[in-house]
Amino acid sequence: MALTPSWIALALFAPVVQAAKSDVNIAFDKKPVINLYDIEDDFVRQLVCALPLLIVGVFSLIFVVILRFQLRSKMIGKDIGKPKLDYLAAKVKSGSTAFLKEEYKYLTVYVLVWAIICLALFTAKPMAKDSSSKATDGVRSAFCLIIGAFMSGLSGYIGMTVATDGNVRTTVACAAGSLNDGLKVAFQAGAAMGFGVVGLAALGLSFLLIVMKPNRTQGQAIQYTHSFGFGASSIALFARVAGGIYTKAADVGADLVGKVEAGIDE
């Protein structure tokens, strides 16, 4: 029989598949560290489920603070005799901060309107079936929506400040050192932005899972987090669209200034 590629692949990967099956069987034979079904208290069970995510969120935000301090310690324009870099970076940062303040004014109104809608809808038609506790469904849903929007807006603010602080420091690192030095600073700023988003999302979600649990089943407590996701994604969507418009306007403005005032060719 000819050795076709299929037979060769089967001969190579058969031991790997067999070993994987053995590992799976061994894993299933082991007892779990914590058996949730042995926990009688429903709130404690929910706490055990949400606690790892809460810890991840807290440690992620601590890591962001560390990265932020390390980024702030990097050289800026005045350290290499080019203070104009700091002047330009300050202008960019002030413009981006002004943009965020103006955008968040409108988004605050948007979030409050939807919070009122959620309050009315889930008060009229609550998810909880128990008549003694269903009266707070509207308040719970509106609260989750506001927390989600706040966390999303805060992550946008952290990302904008880290990006504007990282730009000048990346430029200085490249000018004073090498391209690799600049990449290290840029990746440090990017890591702070990324871990900030993950940390706030994990912290907010785990916090709401714990807070929404009293007088509710686990399933009902999880259902309230749909408002958390709705609030967070709403802010993210508008920030993405408005940020694109803002950066395009800044790009066109810089292009016009360069051509008209500085006389730079196309």
Side-chain angles (χ1 to χ4, degrees), residues 42-118:
D42 210 22
F43 179 77
V44 176
R45 190 185 302 119
Q46 184 85 343
L47 184 63
V48 170
C49 293
L51 195 59
L53 188 63
L54 181 64
I55 294 173
V56 168
V58 171
F59 275 96
S60 296
L61 294 179
I62 293 174
F63 185 55
V64 170
V65 173
I66 295 172
L67 290 175
R68 190 85 170 84
F69 276 110
Q70 290 180 349
L71 184 65
R72 297 282 292 181
S73 66
K74 302 295 182 183
M75 291 190 302
I76 56 178
K78 69 176 183 179
D79 297 326
I80 60 172
K82 296 184 181 296
K84 192 173 183 179
L85 287 174
D86 301 330
Y87 171 78
L88 295 174
K91 290 294 184 183
V92 172
K93 187 172 184 177
S94 64
S96 62
T97 303
F99 159 73
L100 282 181
K101 288 181 179 179
E102 192 66 24
E103 182 189 21
Y104 284 174
K105 288 179 184 178
Y106 293 97
L107 289 179
T108 300
V109 177
Y110 173 83
V111 170
L112 289 177
V113 169
W114 273 108
I116 294 172
I117 292 173
C118 284

Side-chain angles (χ1 to χ4, degrees), residues 247-262 264:
T247 53
K248 189 61 180 177
D251 179 48
V252 173
D255 190 43
L256 290 174
V257 170
K259 290 178 180 177
V260 176
E261 295 186 8
I264 300 174

